Amino acid sequence: MLKNSRLFKIINNNVPLRWTRLHNSATDVTLSFRQKAWLTARERYKKHEHVYYSSFLETKWKPSNPPAAINSQFPHDWMDDYEFYERSKTSDSKHGTPDASIPPSTVPCSGCGALLHCSNISMPGYIPSEIFNGRSQQELRTITCQRCHFLNHYNIALDVDVPPSSYVDTISRIQDQFALAVVLVDLLDFPSSIWPGMQHVLGTKRPVFLVGNKHCLQHEFVQHGGGDGLNIKNVSLISAKTGYGIEELITQLHKTWAYKGNVYLLGCTNVGKSTLFNILLNSDYCRPEATELVRKATTCPWPGTTLQLLRFPIFRPSNSRVYQRFKRLFSERAKRAALDKLRRDQAQKTGAVAAAQPFSQVGRSFDRLEVVNDSFSMAAGTQPITTLNERGAEYRDARWVYDTPGVMHPDQLTHFLTAEELAQLQPTSMIRPRAFRLRPEMSLLLGGLARIDILNLSGYEKQYDWLKVFVFASQNLPVMIADTLKAEAVYKRYLGTPFLGIPSASGDLEVRLKRWPGLQCKDQDIVVSNNNSNSGGNEARLNCDITLSSAGWLGLLLPDNSECSLRVWTPHSAGIYVRRPALIPLADRLVGKHIRNSLAYNTTKPFVFKK
């Protein structure tokens, strides 16, 4: 009897538990894979009200190639980096001791072009008196100012007082010279990188080389303020960072301009003038002996690095030298083609972004000129040559390439950003479009820099549910999609967090957010229409681009025979333009399939296009 009672207790305790387990497992079996994925997606956004998509949540966002860290700690022993600093001369100030009684020099800083002095810490070209005092002009030519030194060695941008008019006055020197103007345009900030006063400075007769995107760039340059009367001689596509297109640009300079006069690199801030200057310095366009003596220009994401004119002498392209250069390029043609094919195959097989990025080596056809005496032989009684003597007889009739200061465009957003935010805004790898499906009453937030509202989407024949939006911006900028009616509240809630990325602060975030201008929209909404019918099976092309100043741009792909109303927001509503035709019309090739239970599309491998 006792054994039977124990048996009944065991059965009563285990049978309900077993039944519960079977019931739960049966429920899981009835859910399909799509339903489970949908439930997982809903759980992910459960705590984020009115948010439909966040790249931070979807990928637990971490930049694949994070930007270089900005050092916020001021190094107190930085003067030890200078050869002429004597530690016996102690200074209580971390910037060194200024001395207004010592007159400034006539020697420019080789990094930014400002005249070296020790009078005022906040003025460009400052060097502490502990280093500046007692130095000869020959010794000053071998050092850089404090600001360039900090940018190169510590990645710290020091504030200097430079009135905006000084930049315009500096580049206006070209008005009185017979010179070629090489105008650089940044495609990521186009047309906001076209300075409105360019036509007034250059005039209508001066020859101009336009450097940027060679497809439809000239039409866009004229349309957005470049000037209908400019004498554009050549349009080139280059990448000063990877060397792509540089050899072709040099060939065009030799062919069109030859040795007629000086060459000025012009453009707004952060378009790559100093980077192009540095790569031309180590090419056939510079005199061989000057390559080792002229210091490279200081480059960094911070705008306004170059403060005065920097220059190097042009190598005269005589017939024999042009032929020698042609022989080198012809001999390297097969090697370049093989390397390019290898790069494309590697990108197609592995999907590596670095392999997909166009790259070209910039070579040299000419060695250094013959030197009678060894410049570094102290026993021969000659002084070592460490700087270029621009007043020498061999440079009396030379032609020069000038790196000019960048002019701040009123539509650029860089002056709102800190050094850390600028580093995050700069692309660290090749930009690949990110595609999303947006329905009416949805808003897309690109970091804290821009917002686009889909107000209405209507068709001429039928009603459509969504349109396709392509984001062309740095991969370090997060994307968030929210309800339009609650977009302002969502923006305020996540501003200063990793969900939006910019603005950010390593120190006091509240102070940074108080200085942030927020987002404002244009007075009129943007209306985009697509009157084409793709019944013939033609490949879909983007209808237009919406530029967002320094943040990048958005490409729109509307359904056939439809019309869409948009409202775009940026700080002070700056840099908002409609660009037709789209810069990359076949961007739909560069994205993968739509992700289930998500508004996003997969980012496909480079060179693997949909057929």
Side-chain angles (χ1 to χ4, degrees):
M1 186 68 181
L2 183 60
K3 291 182 179 179
N4 292 337
S5 62
R6 289 180 179 177
L7 179 61
F8 283 123
K9 288 182 179 180
I10 294 174
I11 293 174
N12 291 333
N13 290 335
N14 290 337
V15 168
L17 180 61
R18 178 65 177 171
W19 180 86
T20 303
R21 290 178 179 175
L22 290 174
H23 177 73
N24 291 338
S25 62
T27 304
D28 292 340
V29 170
T30 58
L31 290 178
S32 65
F33 175 79
R34 295 185 180 180
Q35 289 173 327
K36 292 179 182 179
W38 181 77
L39 290 174
T40 304
R42 286 193 61 183
E43 187 68 25
R44 191 181 300 124
Y45 292 94
K46 189 175 182 180
K47 298 180 180 179
H48 304 279
E49 192 177 5
H50 307 299
V51 175
Y52 300 132
Y53 175 87
S54 171
S55 60
F56 181 82
L57 286 177
E58 294 288 341
T59 60
K60 294 182 180 179
W61 182 79
K62 288 183 181 179
S64 56
N65 295 313
I70 303 295
N71 188 5
S72 59
Q73 295 183 354
F74 197 99
H76 293 277
D77 56 347
W78 64 273
M79 286 190 286
D80 292 337
D81 300 335
Y82 284 86
E83 177 185 358
F84 306 110
Y85 174 63
E86 299 178 9
R87 182 166 275 279
S88 59
K89 298 180 180 180
T90 58
S91 174
D92 297 333
S93 175
K94 61 183 180 180
H95 291 278
T97 307
D99 191 348
S101 62
I102 302 176
S105 70
T106 58
V107 178
C109 170
S110 58
C112 65
L115 296 180
L116 298 176
H117 66 90
C118 65
S119 305
N120 192 339
I121 296 176
S122 61
M123 294 297 293
Y126 169 78
I127 299 178
S129 59
E130 292 87 347
I131 302 172
F132 181 83
N133 191 19
R135 302 279 75 82
S136 64
Q137 287 198 359
Q138 191 71 14
E139 292 173 334
L140 289 177
R141 293 181 189 277
T142 63
I143 61 178
T144 58
C145 67
Q146 182 194 40
R147 181 171 179 265
C148 291
H149 184 80
F150 273 58
L151 287 172
N152 290 327
H153 295 277
Y154 302 105
N155 206 17
I156 295 177
L158 301 178
D159 293 331
V160 293
D161 296 331
V162 182
S165 59
S166 64
Y167 293 109
V168 181
D169 295 339
T170 301
I171 66 175
S172 296
R173 301 178 188 179
I174 193 175
Q175 289 180 316
D176 302 327
Q177 297 185 21
F178 179 68
L180 173 70
V182 178
V183 180
L184 276 79
V185 177
D186 183 10
L187 295 182
L188 194 61
D189 195 7
F190 181 78
S192 296
S193 57
I194 303 174
W195 182 44
M198 190 71 67
Q199 183 179 4
H200 174 71
V201 173
L202 299 181
T204 59
K205 297 182 179 179
R206 183 179 311 282
V208 174
F209 270 44
L210 187 58
V211 176
N213 178 40
K214 62 183 178 183
H215 298 295
C216 74
L217 178 61
Q218 182 172 351
H219 169 72
E220 293 290 329
F221 181 77
V222 172
Q223 180 181 357
H224 292 286
D228 195 10
L230 287 183
N231 184 18
I232 299 178
K233 294 293 186 181
N234 180 265
V235 181
S236 300
L237 172 66
I238 70 164
S239 173
K241 185 177 180 180
T242 64
Y244 176 79
I246 298 296
E247 293 284 14
E248 290 77 7
L249 176 62
I250 296 174
T251 301
Q252 291 299 324
L253 288 171
H254 284 165
K255 179 181 178 181
T256 305
W257 187 243
Y259 204 65
K260 299 176 184 178
N262 297 330
V263 176
Y264 285 79
L265 306 180
L266 302 176
C268 291
T269 57
N270 279 28
V271 297
K273 298 185 300 299
S274 295
T275 307
L276 178 60
F277 178 87
N278 291 339
I279 200 169
L280 291 177
L281 179 62
N282 290 276
S283 70
D284 288 340
Y285 207 59
C286 177
R287 295 184 64 156
E289 77 281 1
T291 297
E292 302 175 4
L293 301 178
V294 177
R295 285 193 146 190
K296 289 186 176 182
T298 302
T299 58
C300 75
W302 192 260
T305 305
T306 304
L307 302 176
Q308 293 292 332
L309 296 178
L310 303 174
R311 66 177 186 173
F312 68 78
I314 301 174
F315 199 35
R316 181 190 292 271
S318 61
N319 292 336
S320 60
R321 291 169 182 166
V322 171
Y323 179 67
Q324 185 177 349
R325 169 179 162 79
F326 168 77
K327 288 198 303 181
R328 177 183 69 84
L329 294 176
F330 186 81
S331 63
E332 295 175 353
R333 185 174 60 176
K335 181 180 178 181
R336 290 174 183 268
L339 290 176
D340 189 61
K341 184 178 183 303
L342 179 64
R343 176 183 63 82
R344 288 176 175 267
D345 293 342
Q346 183 181 0
Q348 189 170 5
K349 292 178 181 179
T350 64
V353 179
Q357 189 169 1
F359 176 83
S360 180
Q361 181 118 19
V362 180
R364 298 297 299 262
S365 305
F366 317 105
D367 297 327
R368 290 196 57 184
L369 299 180
E370 300 83 7
V371 181
V372 178
N373 295 324
D374 185 1
S375 303
F376 294 93
S377 177
M378 302 301 294
T382 59
Q383 293 292 329
I385 301 176
T386 57
T387 58
L388 185 70
N389 183 15
E390 299 177 356
R391 298 183 179 180
E394 62 272 27
Y395 300 113
R396 186 172 302 163
D397 298 325
R399 307 293 188 265
W400 302 83
V401 172
Y402 287 91
D403 180 20
T404 64
V407 183
M408 183 66 71
H409 194 287
D411 282 338
Q412 287 182 308
L413 304 179
T414 50
H415 59 283
F416 292 122
L417 306 178
T418 62
E420 294 86 353
E421 294 162 354
L422 278 171
Q424 184 177 349
L425 186 64
Q426 297 294 323
T428 55
S429 62
M430 185 182 70
I431 294 179
R432 290 186 293 176
R434 292 174 281 177
F436 304 93
R437 284 183 177 179
L438 292 187
R439 298 183 179 89
E441 298 185 358
M442 279 189 177
S443 297
L444 184 144
L445 298 170
L446 182 58
L449 295 174
R451 167 183 148 198
I452 177 171
D453 301 337
I454 309 299
L455 303 178
N456 184 31
L457 178 63
S458 59
Y460 303 137
E461 300 176 355
K462 61 180 181 179
Q463 194 70 21
Y464 294 99
D465 295 332
W466 53 269
L467 75 156
K468 204 168 183 179
V469 178
F470 298 81
V471 178
F472 295 88
S474 171
Q475 297 292 333
N476 300 324
L477 275 181
V479 173
M480 177 180 286
I481 300 176
D483 186 358
T484 299
L485 299 177
K486 302 294 182 179
E488 185 69 22
V490 171
Y491 180 79
K492 292 180 180 179
R493 186 198 315 161
Y494 293 102
L495 192 65
T497 67
F499 288 86
L500 294 180
I502 294 177
S504 62
S506 56
D508 194 344
L509 181 60
E510 292 185 3
V511 175
R512 178 71 186 103
L513 294 180
K514 288 181 180 179
R515 294 174 51 210
W516 185 248
L519 301 180
Q520 293 79 34
C521 65
K522 288 281 190 180
D523 296 334
Q524 295 182 349
D525 297 334
I526 298 174
V527 179
V528 180
S529 60
N530 181 14
N531 300 322
N532 299 327
S533 178
N534 199 16
S535 58
N538 297 326
E539 193 167 12
R541 290 175 172 267
L542 268 62
N543 304 107
C544 68
D545 291 336
I546 306 294
T547 65
L548 305 173
S549 188
S550 309
W553 76 90
L554 303 176
L556 303 182
L557 181 58
L558 273 65
D560 298 334
N561 299 317
S562 63
E563 185 178 87
C564 179
S565 299
L566 312 168
R567 185 172 298 160
V568 186
W569 308 64
T570 58
H572 296 308
S573 62
I576 301 174
Y577 295 96
V578 179
R579 188 165 57 197
R580 294 187 179 93
L583 194 62
I584 306 178
L586 299 179
D588 197 30
R589 287 182 174 184
L590 304 176
V591 297
K593 295 181 179 180
H594 177 247
I595 302 174
R596 292 174 180 172
N597 304 302
S598 175
L599 298 174
Y601 287 76
N602 277 310
T603 54
T604 186
K605 296 180 180 179
F607 298 109
V608 181
F609 300 142
K610 294 184 296 184
K611 296 182 180 179

